[in-house]
Amino acid sequence: MAEIADIWFDASCPYTWITSRWLLEAATVRPIEPRWHVLSLAALNEGRDDDPEGDPEGYLWIPARICAAVAAKAGQEALGRFYTAIGTRYHERGEMEARTFTDALADAGLPEGLVAAAESAEYDDAVRASTAEGIGKVGPHIGTPVIAVGETAFFGPVMSRIPRGEDAGRLWDGTLLVAGVPGFHELKGRPHDEPDFS
């Protein structure tokens, strides 16, 4: 029986994209069922005096709002499809044109009209609530992504490349083992490389 792996993601983060693709890869070799949730860095950083994401125009709200609209109107599985579609276009192909979100909605088999959420505050409370839920699993000292499997929750793992096949499965096993140790707090590796989506 597959174990549910809840993942909270910000669609604009390239490292989160890599982690999400690892999770899907691990699900091909381990009994994992990903469940998708919004974690917005824009919502997380609201009210701060600094701007850690360098987003003075509020661009990061756009994908978060559309993701929240997709989740509300079509559910978590559809949110996963949309995230795959927008991430493929944005992170892997470098697309960020006026129609990128509309095209990604079409790729995911969703109504293109959901793009209207981008310019509306209608889903902002849902974005904030989902972000708070994800952050609440680990604590306010982290960002995106957060993954929870039952009572075990962790930030990341943050990596520059997508592990494939059994490598992805072993990383999954090890991450759950380490994150599940009572009192575990943090593990870091070398300074990060630029994202490699191959």
Side-chain angles (χ1 to χ4, degrees), residues 8 38-47 61 64-65 68 120-136:
W8 283 262
V38 178
L39 192 160
S40 167
L41 293 170
L44 180 63
N45 295 321
E46 266 187 318
W61 279 103
R65 287 169 172 162
S120 165
E122 178 182 357
Y123 293 97
D124 287 7
D125 285 345
V127 169
R128 290 181 185 106
S130 185
T131 297
E133 181 185 18
I135 294 299

Side-chain angles (χ1 to χ4, degrees), residues 81-172:
R81 289 196 323 267
F82 175 66
Y83 180 39
T84 292
I86 194 63
T88 299
R89 287 180 172 275
Y90 182 67
H91 297 298
E92 295 185 10
R93 297 182 194 162
E95 291 180 28
M96 195 39 62
E97 301 162 11
R99 286 199 47 87
T100 299
F101 291 108
T102 306
D103 291 344
L105 286 164
D107 292 347
L110 295 163
E112 293 179 17
L114 289 171
V115 77
E119 303 301 327
S120 165
E122 178 182 357
Y123 293 97
D124 287 7
D125 285 345
V127 169
R128 290 181 185 106
S130 185
T131 297
E133 181 185 18
I135 294 299
K137 299 286 183 186
V138 182
H141 61 290
I142 54 88
T144 177
V146 170
I147 297 176
V149 179
E151 296 301 311
T152 301
F154 49 91
F155 162 65
V158 178
M159 54 196 137
S160 301
R161 290 178 191 84
I162 305 165
R164 303 291 182 184
E166 188 56 26
D167 287 341
R170 282 194 300 271
L171 180 58
W172 177 255

Side-chain angles (χ1 to χ4, degrees), residues 29-43:
V29 294
R30 297 292 185 273
I32 304 165
E33 182 182 331
R35 204 163 47 183
W36 306 92
H37 309 270
V38 178
L39 192 160
S40 167
L41 293 170

Side-chain angles (χ1 to χ4, degrees), residues 15 18 159-161 192-197:
Y15 294 102
I18 289 172
M159 54 196 137
S160 301
R161 290 178 191 84
H192 68 274
D193 294 327
E194 290 300 310
D196 178 353
F197 305 119

